Amino acid sequence: MPLSGIDIFKKLPKTNCQECGVPTCMAFAMKLAAGQAELDACPYIDDAVRAELEEASAPPIRCVSIGTGENALKVGGETVMFRHEKTFVNPPGLGVLVTDAMSADEIDARLQRLCSLAYERVGMHLKADIAALKDTSGDAAAFSALVERAKDAGVTNMVLMSTDPAVIAEGLKAASGMRPLIYAATADNIKAMADLALEHDCPLAVCGANLDEVAGLTEQLSAMKIKDIVIDSGTRDLHQAFEDQMNIRRAALKGNCRSLGFPTIVFPCEMTDDLMQENMFAATFITKYAGIIIMSDLHGANLFPLAVQRMNIYTDPQRPMATAEGIYEINNPDENSPVLITSNFSLTYFVVSGEVETSRMPAWLLIKDTEGLSVLTAWAAGKFVADSLAVFIKKSGITEKVAHRTLVIPGLTATISGDLEEELPDWTIQIGPREAAHLIPFLKNWKA
Ligand code: SF4
């Protein structure tokens, strides 16, 4: 159970020395309880109390890192059942299965697509995250060669999959320093797999026949001081796997069940041979509540929609996505190019800038900070109105970039044109199209 501010205060030094940046230990305790301060801010908490407070303030689903450095995949760390309650924290990793039974060409093609497929969407970089390298031959040398091949292809995050600890040991040697996820500890090999995880400081997946067995395995690992655990509930049946995902999340968040408080891994690639169905299964697990999703293959046709869905589910529903206020140059504009203005709702920016780019007409796009609201909402909220637009245009520096004084406003806000001309007497205000889709003909016929 999370500790209250009073519970935390009882464990603090109570000297009110203010070194943590707040006036009293009580104030610091309240901030800690609210998640607004870090324990490290107080240098006088002893180690035992620190461990106790860290344990009590840890998220109910542990955050586990796979890989190292800035490319590491972080999964788990979730605190809510539904994204409208707060936000989901760490998007699930999307990965591809590669086995040592595949031909060299097939292996290289899959790894190449994993590393190269990437997309930009509303300013975010979308790509796959992880390779699941599976031993099917029982040949440690073949598995080690597979790991080397993945490294050579540029893979940074890996799941090493084998039931044989000796094979995993060879894979870990090949992946030295990369902190792969070891898959998987079972009732039959748990001691040997745990020893490897401890020796190489790697996260370890468990796989059981059902959630009771999984909970028993994680308890054994926790007793062995292994903290970074990932759960495979074992089933390859969609209905059961979906139920397991929800039961794990609910048990960890609502039942305070520490033995299920870990991120999960699921294998749509092993649930069906139909690629379309596999994508649908993966989409289900993005929504509820997988930490890592392993696909049989990744192409643009399945990766892009899954990555966009993941982005949509894992953005903060309480904070609109926004683009930075400023002047954006599109298609190398010059002093005679049109000047357009719109709001900083990211989707608006990317739709408008995309249409301008497609038109191949050079233009200056002014993005006004509307706190992430779309044009019409911002206008209704008084954030896209004449006086604030005029202040922005005067300070933006656009007058030094263009020789004309013609400003194109969105057609949806035609009503502000009169007021804007009063606020900007040197400028002529033109009413642009109501829809971004009509920008191309508008720009092709544009005159200052
Ligand atoms: Fe209290 Fe520690 Fe803050 Fe000092 S630094 S006021 S002891 S919480």
Side-chain angles (χ1 to χ4, degrees), residues 177-213:
M178 297 181 71
R179 205 167 192 270
L181 172 65
I182 300 171
Y183 179 99
T186 63
D188 296 331
N189 65 15
I190 187 165
K191 175 73 173 66
M193 289 293 196
D195 287 345
L196 287 171
L198 287 169
E199 182 187 340
H200 294 270
D201 186 25
C202 288
L204 177 58
V206 296
C207 181
N210 51 54
L211 292 189
D212 285 341
E213 187 177 326

mmCIF file of all heavy atoms in Angstrom, residues 177-213:
data_model
loop_
_atom_site.group_PDB
_atom_site.id
_atom_site.type_symbol
_atom_site.label_atom_id
_atom_site.label_comp_id
_atom_site.label_asym_id
_atom_site.label_seq_id
_atom_site.Cartn_x
_atom_site.Cartn_y
_atom_site.Cartn_z
ATOM 1 N N GLY A 177 27.122 -7.208 -22.322
ATOM 2 C CA GLY A 177 26.977 -5.765 -22.128
ATOM 3 C C GLY A 177 25.704 -5.188 -22.719
ATOM 4 O O GLY A 177 25.445 -3.987 -22.585
ATOM 5 N N MET A 178 24.858 -6.010 -23.375
ATOM 6 C CA MET A 178 23.661 -5.469 -24.040
ATOM 7 C C MET A 178 22.398 -5.578 -23.195
ATOM 8 O O MET A 178 21.351 -5.077 -23.564
ATOM 9 C CB MET A 178 23.434 -6.187 -25.373
ATOM 10 C CG MET A 178 24.558 -5.971 -26.365
ATOM 11 S SD MET A 178 24.257 -6.790 -27.931
ATOM 12 C CE MET A 178 22.948 -5.780 -28.618
ATOM 13 N N ARG A 179 22.485 -6.269 -22.087
ATOM 14 C CA ARG A 179 21.352 -6.447 -21.151
ATOM 15 C C ARG A 179 20.070 -6.936 -21.858
ATOM 16 O O ARG A 179 19.022 -6.293 -21.821
ATOM 17 C CB ARG A 179 21.078 -5.150 -20.389
ATOM 18 C CG ARG A 179 20.405 -5.413 -19.056
ATOM 19 C CD ARG A 179 20.391 -4.219 -18.136
ATOM 20 N NE ARG A 179 19.985 -4.636 -16.811
ATOM 21 C CZ ARG A 179 18.718 -4.650 -16.396
ATOM 22 N NH1 ARG A 179 17.765 -4.257 -17.174
ATOM 23 N NH2 ARG A 179 18.423 -5.068 -15.173
ATOM 24 N N PRO A 180 20.161 -8.100 -22.508
ATOM 25 C CA PRO A 180 18.957 -8.653 -23.138
ATOM 26 C C PRO A 180 18.007 -9.224 -22.102
ATOM 27 O O PRO A 180 18.395 -9.467 -20.955
ATOM 28 C CB PRO A 180 19.516 -9.768 -24.026
ATOM 29 C CG PRO A 180 20.763 -10.201 -23.324
ATOM 30 C CD PRO A 180 21.335 -8.973 -22.674
ATOM 31 N N LEU A 181 16.757 -9.435 -22.514
ATOM 32 C CA LEU A 181 15.790 -10.138 -21.673
ATOM 33 C C LEU A 181 15.992 -11.637 -21.874
ATOM 34 O O LEU A 181 15.987 -12.124 -23.009
ATOM 35 C CB LEU A 181 14.363 -9.752 -22.082
ATOM 36 C CG LEU A 181 13.223 -10.543 -21.431
ATOM 37 C CD1 LEU A 181 13.178 -10.304 -19.919
ATOM 38 C CD2 LEU A 181 11.889 -10.193 -22.069
ATOM 39 N N ILE A 182 16.190 -12.362 -20.784
ATOM 40 C CA ILE A 182 16.325 -13.821 -20.857
ATOM 41 C C ILE A 182 14.924 -14.428 -20.805
ATOM 42 O O ILE A 182 14.130 -14.126 -19.914
ATOM 43 C CB ILE A 182 17.169 -14.353 -19.672
ATOM 44 C CG1 ILE A 182 18.566 -13.740 -19.702
ATOM 45 C CG2 ILE A 182 17.230 -15.870 -19.702
ATOM 46 C CD1 ILE A 182 19.389 -14.046 -18.457
ATOM 47 N N TYR A 183 14.626 -15.302 -21.766
ATOM 48 C CA TYR A 183 13.314 -15.942 -21.830
ATOM 49 C C TYR A 183 13.533 -17.435 -21.935
ATOM 50 O O TYR A 183 14.126 -17.888 -22.917
ATOM 51 C CB TYR A 183 12.529 -15.424 -23.030
ATOM 52 C CG TYR A 183 11.171 -16.074 -23.174
ATOM 53 C CD1 TYR A 183 10.021 -15.436 -22.731
ATOM 54 C CD2 TYR A 183 11.058 -17.338 -23.733
ATOM 55 C CE1 TYR A 183 8.788 -16.044 -22.837
ATOM 56 C CE2 TYR A 183 9.821 -17.950 -23.834
ATOM 57 C CZ TYR A 183 8.701 -17.293 -23.395
ATOM 58 O OH TYR A 183 7.473 -17.894 -23.487
ATOM 59 N N ALA A 184 13.083 -18.285 -21.045
ATOM 60 C CA ALA A 184 12.288 -17.904 -19.900
ATOM 61 C C ALA A 184 12.585 -18.898 -18.778
ATOM 62 O O ALA A 184 12.904 -20.054 -19.020
ATOM 63 C CB ALA A 184 10.804 -17.969 -20.242
ATOM 64 N N ALA A 185 12.412 -18.406 -17.545
ATOM 65 C CA ALA A 185 12.481 -19.296 -16.389
ATOM 66 C C ALA A 185 11.162 -20.046 -16.278
ATOM 67 O O ALA A 185 10.084 -19.456 -16.355
ATOM 68 C CB ALA A 185 12.729 -18.480 -15.133
ATOM 69 N N THR A 186 11.255 -21.342 -16.109
ATOM 70 C CA THR A 186 10.067 -22.178 -15.903
ATOM 71 C C THR A 186 10.288 -22.981 -14.614
ATOM 72 O O THR A 186 11.369 -22.900 -14.004
ATOM 73 C CB THR A 186 9.873 -23.162 -17.077
ATOM 74 O OG1 THR A 186 11.006 -24.044 -17.109
ATOM 75 C CG2 THR A 186 9.777 -22.432 -18.401
ATOM 76 N N ALA A 187 9.298 -23.765 -14.259
ATOM 77 C CA ALA A 187 9.441 -24.580 -13.048
ATOM 78 C C ALA A 187 10.641 -25.519 -13.156
ATOM 79 O O ALA A 187 11.255 -25.875 -12.154
ATOM 80 C CB ALA A 187 8.157 -25.373 -12.815
ATOM 81 N N ASP A 188 10.992 -25.896 -14.390
ATOM 82 C CA ASP A 188 12.060 -26.886 -14.574
ATOM 83 C C ASP A 188 13.468 -26.290 -14.542
ATOM 84 O O ASP A 188 14.433 -26.997 -14.280
ATOM 85 C CB ASP A 188 11.884 -27.602 -15.931
ATOM 86 C CG ASP A 188 10.590 -28.396 -15.957
ATOM 87 O OD1 ASP A 188 10.165 -28.839 -14.873
ATOM 88 O OD2 ASP A 188 10.009 -28.538 -17.049
ATOM 89 N N ASN A 189 13.607 -25.011 -14.884
ATOM 90 C CA ASN A 189 14.972 -24.476 -15.034
ATOM 91 C C ASN A 189 15.222 -23.204 -14.223
ATOM 92 O O ASN A 189 16.197 -22.497 -14.465
ATOM 93 C CB ASN A 189 15.262 -24.200 -16.524
ATOM 94 C CG ASN A 189 14.370 -23.086 -17.073
ATOM 95 O OD1 ASN A 189 13.757 -22.353 -16.309
ATOM 96 N ND2 ASN A 189 14.302 -22.940 -18.380
ATOM 97 N N ILE A 190 14.325 -22.911 -13.287
ATOM 98 C CA ILE A 190 14.341 -21.582 -12.665
ATOM 99 C C ILE A 190 15.673 -21.254 -11.984
ATOM 100 O O ILE A 190 16.167 -20.131 -12.102
ATOM 101 C CB ILE A 190 13.140 -21.412 -11.695
ATOM 102 C CG1 ILE A 190 13.080 -19.958 -11.205
ATOM 103 C CG2 ILE A 190 13.187 -22.386 -10.537
ATOM 104 C CD1 ILE A 190 11.775 -19.598 -10.555
ATOM 105 N N LYS A 191 16.274 -22.217 -11.338
ATOM 106 C CA LYS A 191 17.516 -21.929 -10.598
ATOM 107 C C LYS A 191 18.637 -21.549 -11.574
ATOM 108 O O LYS A 191 19.332 -20.541 -11.371
ATOM 109 C CB LYS A 191 17.906 -23.174 -9.775
ATOM 110 C CG LYS A 191 19.243 -23.066 -9.060
ATOM 111 C CD LYS A 191 19.156 -22.118 -7.870
ATOM 112 C CE LYS A 191 20.421 -22.104 -7.033
ATOM 113 N NZ LYS A 191 21.585 -21.568 -7.693
ATOM 114 N N ALA A 192 18.783 -22.337 -12.638
ATOM 115 C CA ALA A 192 19.858 -22.060 -13.595
ATOM 116 C C ALA A 192 19.629 -20.736 -14.316
ATOM 117 O O ALA A 192 20.564 -19.954 -14.531
ATOM 118 C CB ALA A 192 19.952 -23.202 -14.607
ATOM 119 N N MET A 193 18.378 -20.457 -14.684
ATOM 120 C CA MET A 193 18.087 -19.193 -15.377
ATOM 121 C C MET A 193 18.304 -18.004 -14.436
ATOM 122 O O MET A 193 18.820 -16.959 -14.839
ATOM 123 C CB MET A 193 16.648 -19.191 -15.901
ATOM 124 C CG MET A 193 16.416 -20.140 -17.066
ATOM 125 S SD MET A 193 17.313 -19.618 -18.557
ATOM 126 C CE MET A 193 16.470 -20.583 -19.811
ATOM 127 N N ALA A 194 17.912 -18.177 -13.180
ATOM 128 C CA ALA A 194 18.101 -17.093 -12.207
ATOM 129 C C ALA A 194 19.587 -16.809 -12.013
ATOM 130 O O ALA A 194 20.009 -15.637 -11.931
ATOM 131 C CB ALA A 194 17.447 -17.467 -10.875
ATOM 132 N N ASP A 195 20.392 -17.856 -11.959
ATOM 133 C CA ASP A 195 21.842 -17.657 -11.803
ATOM 134 C C ASP A 195 22.408 -16.859 -12.985
ATOM 135 O O ASP A 195 23.247 -15.971 -12.808
ATOM 136 C CB ASP A 195 22.554 -19.012 -11.708
ATOM 137 C CG ASP A 195 22.298 -19.688 -10.359
ATOM 138 O OD1 ASP A 195 21.825 -18.991 -9.432
ATOM 139 O OD2 ASP A 195 22.545 -20.898 -10.249
ATOM 140 N N LEU A 196 21.928 -17.178 -14.199
ATOM 141 C CA LEU A 196 22.407 -16.432 -15.378
ATOM 142 C C LEU A 196 21.978 -14.962 -15.315
ATOM 143 O O LEU A 196 22.753 -14.059 -15.644
ATOM 144 C CB LEU A 196 21.859 -17.079 -16.659
ATOM 145 C CG LEU A 196 22.488 -18.415 -17.062
ATOM 146 C CD1 LEU A 196 21.703 -19.054 -18.201
ATOM 147 C CD2 LEU A 196 23.949 -18.208 -17.473
ATOM 148 N N ALA A 197 20.734 -14.752 -14.893
ATOM 149 C CA ALA A 197 20.239 -13.371 -14.805
ATOM 150 C C ALA A 197 21.057 -12.567 -13.794
ATOM 151 O O ALA A 197 21.410 -11.399 -14.032
ATOM 152 C CB ALA A 197 18.757 -13.367 -14.419
ATOM 153 N N LEU A 198 21.377 -13.204 -12.662
ATOM 154 C CA LEU A 198 22.171 -12.504 -11.644
ATOM 155 C C LEU A 198 23.596 -12.272 -12.130
ATOM 156 O O LEU A 198 24.154 -11.178 -11.962
ATOM 157 C CB LEU A 198 22.190 -13.332 -10.351
ATOM 158 C CG LEU A 198 20.878 -13.333 -9.552
ATOM 159 C CD1 LEU A 198 20.924 -14.380 -8.450
ATOM 160 C CD2 LEU A 198 20.584 -11.951 -8.970
ATOM 161 N N GLU A 199 24.176 -13.287 -12.754
ATOM 162 C CA GLU A 199 25.570 -13.172 -13.209
ATOM 163 C C GLU A 199 25.738 -12.072 -14.249
ATOM 164 O O GLU A 199 26.707 -11.323 -14.234
ATOM 165 C CB GLU A 199 26.014 -14.526 -13.801
ATOM 166 C CG GLU A 199 27.473 -14.533 -14.265
ATOM 167 C CD GLU A 199 27.812 -15.825 -15.006
ATOM 168 O OE1 GLU A 199 27.087 -16.835 -14.845
ATOM 169 O OE2 GLU A 199 28.796 -15.801 -15.772
ATOM 170 N N HIS A 200 24.736 -11.959 -15.157
ATOM 171 C CA HIS A 200 24.870 -10.992 -16.260
ATOM 172 C C HIS A 200 24.057 -9.719 -16.029
ATOM 173 O O HIS A 200 23.987 -8.871 -16.921
ATOM 174 C CB HIS A 200 24.435 -11.649 -17.574
ATOM 175 C CG HIS A 200 25.346 -12.771 -17.995
ATOM 176 N ND1 HIS A 200 26.450 -12.581 -18.796
ATOM 177 C CD2 HIS A 200 25.337 -14.089 -17.687
ATOM 178 C CE1 HIS A 200 27.071 -13.735 -18.989
ATOM 179 N NE2 HIS A 200 26.424 -14.674 -18.318
ATOM 180 N N ASP A 201 23.412 -9.614 -14.867
ATOM 181 C CA ASP A 201 22.579 -8.455 -14.553
ATOM 182 C C ASP A 201 21.561 -8.188 -15.667
ATOM 183 O O ASP A 201 21.483 -7.092 -16.231
ATOM 184 C CB ASP A 201 23.450 -7.206 -14.322
ATOM 185 C CG ASP A 201 22.608 -6.026 -13.842
ATOM 186 O OD1 ASP A 201 21.532 -6.275 -13.257
ATOM 187 O OD2 ASP A 201 23.005 -4.864 -14.089
ATOM 188 N N CYS A 202 20.803 -9.234 -15.990
ATOM 189 C CA CYS A 202 19.803 -9.122 -17.058
ATOM 190 C C CYS A 202 18.397 -9.345 -16.501
ATOM 191 O O CYS A 202 18.218 -10.102 -15.549
ATOM 192 C CB CYS A 202 20.054 -10.179 -18.132
ATOM 193 S SG CYS A 202 21.499 -9.829 -19.128
ATOM 194 N N PRO A 203 17.397 -8.727 -17.121
ATOM 195 C CA PRO A 203 16.015 -9.047 -16.747
ATOM 196 C C PRO A 203 15.680 -10.471 -17.177
ATOM 197 O O PRO A 203 16.273 -11.004 -18.121
ATOM 198 C CB PRO A 203 15.184 -8.024 -17.527
ATOM 199 C CG PRO A 203 16.062 -7.569 -18.642
ATOM 200 C CD PRO A 203 17.476 -7.720 -18.195
ATOM 201 N N LEU A 204 14.719 -11.062 -16.470
ATOM 202 C CA LEU A 204 14.389 -12.465 -16.705
ATOM 203 C C LEU A 204 12.873 -12.625 -16.849
ATOM 204 O O LEU A 204 12.116 -12.113 -16.024
ATOM 205 C CB LEU A 204 14.889 -13.306 -15.516
ATOM 206 C CG LEU A 204 14.581 -14.792 -15.510
ATOM 207 C CD1 LEU A 204 15.134 -15.492 -16.751
ATOM 208 C CD2 LEU A 204 15.156 -15.447 -14.252
ATOM 209 N N ALA A 205 12.465 -13.305 -17.912
ATOM 210 C CA ALA A 205 11.035 -13.604 -18.097
ATOM 211 C C ALA A 205 10.712 -14.935 -17.426
ATOM 212 O O ALA A 205 11.555 -15.831 -17.369
ATOM 213 C CB ALA A 205 10.701 -13.670 -19.578
ATOM 214 N N VAL A 206 9.473 -15.029 -16.923
ATOM 215 C CA VAL A 206 8.997 -16.310 -16.404
ATOM 216 C C VAL A 206 7.838 -16.764 -17.283
ATOM 217 O O VAL A 206 7.111 -15.955 -17.841
ATOM 218 C CB VAL A 206 8.506 -16.209 -14.938
ATOM 219 C CG1 VAL A 206 9.636 -15.843 -14.015
ATOM 220 C CG2 VAL A 206 7.347 -15.253 -14.811
ATOM 221 N N CYS A 207 7.690 -18.071 -17.406
ATOM 222 C CA CYS A 207 6.575 -18.628 -18.170
ATOM 223 C C CYS A 207 5.974 -19.768 -17.367
ATOM 224 O O CYS A 207 6.686 -20.704 -16.987
ATOM 225 C CB CYS A 207 7.058 -19.109 -19.537
ATOM 226 S SG CYS A 207 5.730 -19.784 -20.552
ATOM 227 N N GLY A 208 4.687 -19.653 -17.080
ATOM 228 C CA GLY A 208 4.022 -20.703 -16.313
ATOM 229 C C GLY A 208 2.776 -21.176 -17.044
ATOM 230 O O GLY A 208 2.341 -20.566 -18.024
ATOM 231 N N ALA A 209 2.184 -22.256 -16.550
ATOM 232 C CA ALA A 209 0.996 -22.809 -17.200
ATOM 233 C C ALA A 209 -0.239 -21.959 -16.916
ATOM 234 O O ALA A 209 -1.206 -21.978 -17.673
ATOM 235 C CB ALA A 209 0.774 -24.232 -16.718
ATOM 236 N N ASN A 210 -0.199 -21.206 -15.820
ATOM 237 C CA ASN A 210 -1.323 -20.328 -15.465
ATOM 238 C C ASN A 210 -0.794 -19.254 -14.508
ATOM 239 O O ASN A 210 0.388 -19.282 -14.117
ATOM 240 C CB ASN A 210 -2.458 -21.124 -14.813
ATOM 241 C CG ASN A 210 -1.926 -21.977 -13.669
ATOM 242 O OD1 ASN A 210 -1.260 -21.456 -12.760
ATOM 243 N ND2 ASN A 210 -2.184 -23.274 -13.721
ATOM 244 N N LEU A 211 -1.665 -18.326 -14.108
ATOM 245 C CA LEU A 211 -1.187 -17.201 -13.295
ATOM 246 C C LEU A 211 -0.738 -17.635 -11.904
ATOM 247 O O LEU A 211 0.163 -17.014 -11.316
ATOM 248 C CB LEU A 211 -2.260 -16.117 -13.201
ATOM 249 C CG LEU A 211 -2.565 -15.380 -14.512
ATOM 250 C CD1 LEU A 211 -3.484 -14.189 -14.264
ATOM 251 C CD2 LEU A 211 -1.286 -14.916 -15.203
ATOM 252 N N ASP A 212 -1.337 -18.680 -11.369
ATOM 253 C CA ASP A 212 -0.896 -19.169 -10.052
ATOM 254 C C ASP A 212 0.556 -19.640 -10.130
ATOM 255 O O ASP A 212 1.376 -19.325 -9.259
ATOM 256 C CB ASP A 212 -1.784 -20.325 -9.576
ATOM 257 C CG ASP A 212 -3.139 -19.830 -9.101
ATOM 258 O OD1 ASP A 212 -3.236 -18.627 -8.802
ATOM 259 O OD2 ASP A 212 -4.083 -20.634 -9.064
ATOM 260 N N GLU A 213 0.853 -20.393 -11.195
ATOM 261 C CA GLU A 213 2.227 -20.882 -11.340
ATOM 262 C C GLU A 213 3.183 -19.717 -11.583
ATOM 263 O O GLU A 213 4.292 -19.679 -11.027
ATOM 264 C CB GLU A 213 2.321 -21.889 -12.493
ATOM 265 C CG GLU A 213 3.684 -22.549 -12.563
ATOM 266 C CD GLU A 213 3.770 -23.604 -13.665
ATOM 267 O OE1 GLU A 213 2.773 -24.286 -13.937
ATOM 268 O OE2 GLU A 213 4.865 -23.726 -14.256
#
